[in-house]
Amino acid sequence: QKEVEQDPGPLSVPEGAIVSLNCTYSNSAFQYFMWYRQYSRKGPELLMYTYSSGNKEDGRFTAQVDKSSKYISLFIRDSQPSDSATYLCAMSARNFNKFYFGSGTKLNVKP
Amino acid sequence: GAVVSQHPSWVICKSGTSVKIECRSLDFQATTMFWYRQFPKQSLMLMATSNEGSKATYEQGVEKDKFLINHASLTLSTLTVTSAHPEDSSFYICSARGEVGEKLFFGSGTQLSVL
């Protein structure tokens, strides 16, 4: 079983839709959770960072962590064509010696 | 957010030559840097972890004599692909975490094409 599972998509939505991206994980030691956006042939860009359980909002983006279910989500409101990219979830335990990544979900927002 | 600069962004070289890729943390001290390889439409594959001033730790299956990693300072790590061959062609990405460590920041990546 992989440490982190993420549906690869692709996910295609119309402009303005609410997008929900999700990851599940198996290691209960993970405490730090991140979402990255990666455009083709570019390095991943950190979008959201969350420590432990709870919600965090930043503009159109909301990150949720449910440690009891080992489930994290990223919501994008009012999606734009410029949001079309691959979204990677990542997580780490307290020692930060290693970061575990999902396989990435490719999102396409159609104008 | 913190800035990680990676150069070059792309390089084409002949088979048998060596290529060096630089990764710099511009506004923070990177105690640990990670090097990844990414194939088209696939996720990141961790190659090695380097801590400043010590030898890199390579993942299983990664040839340490082929992929030389140096992390001589808190702001610079280099990856040298020695005697490159066409099968080494790939997208290489570095990342760095600071002293606090909970966030990981990435460079812009290097596309290596070996002819």
Side-chain angles (χ1 to χ4, degrees), chain A residues 36 38 41 43-44 49 96 102, chain B residues 38 43 97 102 104 107-108 111:
Chain A
Y36 290 88
Q38 185 179 24
R41 285 292 172 255
Y49 160 78
F96 310 123
Chain B
Q38 189 175 37
S43 190
R97 68 171 181 87
E102 74 274 15
L104 192 63
S108 54
Q111 179 64 50

Side-chain angles (χ1 to χ4, degrees), chain A residues 9-53:
Chain A
L11 180 61
S12 188
V13 301
E15 183 175 354
I18 296 174
V19 175
S20 173
L21 304 166
N22 311 292
C23 289
T24 58
Y25 63 95
S26 56
N27 190 340
S28 58
F30 290 151
Q31 295 189 0
Y32 302 90
F33 305 91
M34 288 144 282
W35 284 96
Y36 290 88
R37 176 175 63 195
Q38 185 179 24
Y39 293 111
S40 181
R41 285 292 172 255
K42 298 290 184 183
E45 171 194 7
L46 180 62
L47 277 179
M48 300 289 285
Y49 160 78
T50 311
Y51 167 67
S52 194
S53 284

Side-chain angles (χ1 to χ4, degrees), chain A residues 32 34 36 38 41-46 49 88 95-99 101-104, chain B residues 34 36 38 40 43-44 46 59 91 93 97 100-108 111:
Chain A
Y32 302 90
M34 288 144 282
Y36 290 88
Q38 185 179 24
R41 285 292 172 255
K42 298 290 184 183
E45 171 194 7
L46 180 62
Y49 160 78
L88 295 157
N95 58 18
F96 310 123
N97 285 341
K98 198 167 183 177
F99 290 77
F101 289 85
S103 56
Chain B
F34 303 88
Y36 297 86
Q38 189 175 37
S43 190
L44 305 167
L46 179 64
E59 294 297 302
F91 191 59
I93 313 175
R97 68 171 181 87
V100 177
E102 74 274 15
K103 296 181 185 178
L104 192 63
F105 299 96
F106 284 88
S108 54
Q111 179 64 50

